[in-house]
């Protein structure tokens, strides 16, 4: 009672009154790095158009590793500044398979979303207690409805970033993935559900329903690549800028690595871009390889060996014959390894 008589209460005093902790209220804090400046891309424009034209309020954003999925979705906070954007971080800076993270747990997902909506709208918090998961799901739906009525002239974006990692974590712990069930929730008229994933089998692992709008991301075009490079090299000439885009195929993560590798030295940058062999991005390659291998099982993991052993140049038909799988499954394998496996003119092979 004495605490309540005070004009102001500290964070710890409020938590004591509620008999809870910050970790219980927000079990899955975001580890996504804040970006202060977004380079306008055609991907951001396409996402904005889907929203403004009301094509669908359920959107599946997908693309290759490093293409800018997280940045594109995070940009909604800038594009729609007076609206509500909640981003659930499934990847957790690579910690999503750690036992203590529990980012794929239904309870963690719903509690985090309910309470992020609460602190941004003034609605009631979900206080951690023993509750049936079906009741918790009902509470989440009610929170969406209440937020929708409260912000009836605004848009509410519920974003599940790297949702395929969420599915992967559930499979890793031999549990049923919950995240894809969110597609089935009936959304209020001003609420949008947006998930992101990589392409191929990772995309399919989210089991998007027929009312979900697909949006493939392609990364930077030549203009965007030039703008990105000019942040570190403001006086760079047009020829180098074009080569920078061509060699990286507009992949922002590859570009970031090259800029970091060149260490603000234009001569080092030129040296990297002028190498005859493919630019070596070992840690990014390993990330893409490990992610692809983890999701490709159990249907086709055994067939990766056949793909590795094929003589070069190999055709898609060669791979189908050697691995004894259907054309559809063969293409899924190749799409899952996008960025590692080259598929051009019916010839396939690893890029390294």
């Amino acid at each position: 009672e004495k605490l309540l008589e005070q004009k102001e209460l500290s964070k710890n005093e409020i938590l004591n009154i509620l008999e809870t902790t910050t970790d219980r209220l927000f079990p899955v804090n975001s580890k996504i790095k804040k970006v202060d400046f977004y380079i306008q891309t055609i991907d951001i424009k396409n996402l904005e158009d889907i929203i403004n034209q009301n094509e669908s309020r359920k959107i599946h954003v997908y693309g290759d590793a490093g293409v800018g999925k997280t940045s594109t979705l995070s940009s909604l906070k800038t594009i729609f500044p007076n609206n509500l954007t909640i981003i659930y971080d499934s990847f957790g800076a690579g910690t999503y398979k750690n036992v203590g993270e529990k980012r794929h747990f239904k309870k963690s997902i719903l509690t985090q979303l309910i309470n992020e909506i609460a602190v941004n709208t003034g609605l009631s918090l979900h206080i951690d207690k023993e509750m049936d998961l079906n009741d918790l799901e009902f509470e989440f739906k009610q929170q969406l409805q209440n937020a929708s009525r409260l912000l009836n002239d605004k848009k509410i974006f519920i974003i599940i970033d790297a949702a395929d990692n969420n599915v992967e974590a559930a499979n890793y712990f031999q549990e049923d993935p919950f995240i894809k069930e969110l597609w089935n929730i009936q959304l209020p008229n001003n609420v949008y559900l947006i998930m992101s994933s990589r392409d191929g089998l990772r995309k399919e692992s989210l089991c998007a329903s027929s009312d979900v709008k697909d949006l493939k991301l392609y990364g930077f075009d030549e203009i965007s690549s030039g703008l990105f490079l000019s942040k570190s090299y403001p006086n760079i000439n047009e020829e180098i800028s074009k080569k920078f885009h061509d060699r990286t195929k507009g992949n922002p993560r590859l570009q970031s690595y090259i800029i970091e590798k060149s260490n603000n030295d234009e001569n080092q940058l030129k040296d990297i871009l002028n190498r005859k062999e493919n630019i070596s991005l070992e840690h990014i390659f390993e990330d893409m390889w490990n992610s692809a291998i983890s999701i490709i099982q159990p249907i086709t993991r055994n067939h990766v060996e056949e793909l590795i052993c094929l003589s070069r140049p190999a055709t898609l038909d060669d791979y189908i014959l050697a691995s004894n799988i259907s054309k559809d499954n063969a293409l899924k394998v190749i799409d899952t390894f996008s960025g590692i496996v080259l598929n051009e003119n019916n010839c396939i092979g690893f890029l390294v």
Side-chain angles (χ1 to χ4, degrees):
E1 291 180 359
K2 289 182 179 179
L3 283 174
L4 294 174
E5 290 174 2
Q6 297 175 205
K7 290 184 179 180
E8 293 183 2
L9 295 176
S10 70
K11 172 183 170 181
N12 288 335
E13 287 170 340
I14 293 171
L15 291 172
N16 285 333
I17 293 171
L18 296 176
E19 298 181 344
T20 189
T21 64
T22 302
D23 289 341
R24 288 179 180 174
L25 291 175
F26 302 99
V28 190
N29 281 321
S30 175
K31 297 182 181 181
I32 297 172
K33 292 182 180 179
K34 184 180 178 183
V35 177
D36 296 320
F37 173 73
Y38 292 98
I39 292 175
Q40 182 64 37
T41 67
I42 191 63
D43 293 332
I44 293 176
K45 178 67 166 57
N46 288 339
L47 178 59
E48 184 180 3
D49 287 346
I50 290 174
I51 293 167
N52 286 332
Q53 294 168 15
N54 205 26
E55 291 184 40
S56 176
R57 285 182 291 108
K58 295 178 181 179
I59 306 168
H60 185 175
V61 170
Y62 67 98
D64 296 340
V67 80
K69 297 180 289 293
T70 300
S71 297
T72 298
L73 295 183
S74 297
S75 71
L76 289 181
K77 291 184 177 181
T78 303
I79 297 170
F80 299 97
N82 298 318
N83 298 269
L84 177 58
T85 301
I86 305 293
I87 302 180
Y88 184 89
D89 177 17
S90 299
F91 186 63
T95 63
Y96 62 101
K97 286 184 180 177
N98 292 3
V99 174
E101 285 288 314
K102 304 176 181 177
R103 291 177 178 267
H104 64 285
F105 281 19
K106 181 175 182 177
K107 181 179 179 181
S108 299
I109 295 167
L110 295 178
T111 299
Q112 183 75 25
L113 292 176
I114 289 170
N115 288 339
E116 287 213 33
I117 292 171
V119 297
N120 281 281
T121 60
L123 292 170
S124 298
L125 290 163
H126 170 75
I127 307 300
D128 184 58
K129 56 191 175 186
E130 292 301 321
M131 176 184 278
D132 181 83
L133 289 179
N134 290 328
D135 291 337
L136 183 59
E137 185 174 338
F138 177 78
E139 184 177 333
F140 170 64
K141 294 175 182 177
Q142 288 298 110
Q143 191 81 322
L144 287 180
Q145 293 288 348
N146 293 335
S148 173
R149 285 192 288 267
L150 186 65
L151 305 176
N152 58 10
D153 60 338
K154 301 182 184 300
K155 292 178 172 62
I156 300 172
F157 301 107
I158 305 297
I159 295 172
I160 311 297
D161 187 51
D164 51 332
N165 290 121
N166 206 296
V167 174
E168 183 186 349
N171 292 335
Y172 178 79
F173 290 105
Q174 298 183 335
E175 298 164 2
D176 292 330
F178 163 71
I179 202 74
K180 57 189 180 183
E181 294 179 25
L182 286 177
W183 290 130
N184 301 322
I185 289 179
Q186 187 171 353
L187 300 174
N189 289 335
N190 59 336
V191 176
Y192 295 75
L193 174 62
I194 308 174
M195 297 197 204
S196 70
S197 74
R198 292 187 186 176
D199 204 347
L201 290 176
R202 282 185 166 271
K203 175 178 180 289
E204 293 194 8
S205 72
L206 296 189
C207 303
S209 49
S210 59
D211 59 335
V212 176
K213 174 73 174 179
D214 279 350
L215 174 62
K216 183 167 184 176
L217 304 188
Y218 295 94
F220 289 162
D221 59 15
E222 191 173 324
I223 294 174
S224 300
S225 293
L227 288 172
F228 185 54
L229 182 61
S230 68
K231 288 174 63 182
S232 300
Y233 295 93
N235 299 316
I236 205 74
N237 69 49
E238 192 173 317
E239 181 183 351
I240 297 175
S241 179
K242 183 179 187 309
K243 183 174 286 189
F244 177 73
H245 172 74
D246 292 342
R247 293 301 306 273
T248 61
K249 296 181 172 62
N251 186 296
R253 190 183 300 174
L254 299 181
Q255 293 182 352
S256 294
Y257 181 65
I258 289 175
I259 290 172
E260 179 185 338
K261 192 77 173 173
S262 64
N263 199 27
N264 292 321
D265 185 328
E266 188 173 325
N267 288 326
Q268 286 192 43
L269 175 67
K270 290 177 182 178
D271 180 60
I272 294 171
L273 296 178
N274 287 329
R275 291 173 188 169
K276 292 182 180 180
E277 70 273 12
N278 288 330
I279 297 172
S280 176
L281 302 171
E282 185 176 344
H283 72 281
I284 292 179
F285 177 90
E286 288 179 353
D287 172 53
M288 292 177 357
W289 173 266
N290 290 332
S291 296
I293 282 290
S294 66
I295 199 67
I296 210 166
Q297 60 172 323
I299 319 170
T300 50
R301 182 166 185 168
N302 292 336
H303 301 297
V304 176
E305 193 169 316
E306 284 91 346
L307 185 58
I308 295 171
C309 293
L310 285 175
S311 299
R312 306 295 185 266
T315 67
L316 179 60
D317 290 336
D318 291 334
Y319 178 45
I320 293 170
L321 183 63
S323 58
N324 195 30
I325 57 176
S326 68
K327 182 176 181 179
D328 285 345
N329 278 338
L331 289 172
K332 287 176 187 176
V333 175
I334 294 166
D335 287 342
T336 302
F337 281 91
S338 179
I340 299 174
V341 172
L342 179 67
N343 180 20
E344 284 185 356
N345 301 322
N346 200 39
C347 290
I348 56 176
F350 285 86
L351 293 176
V352 294

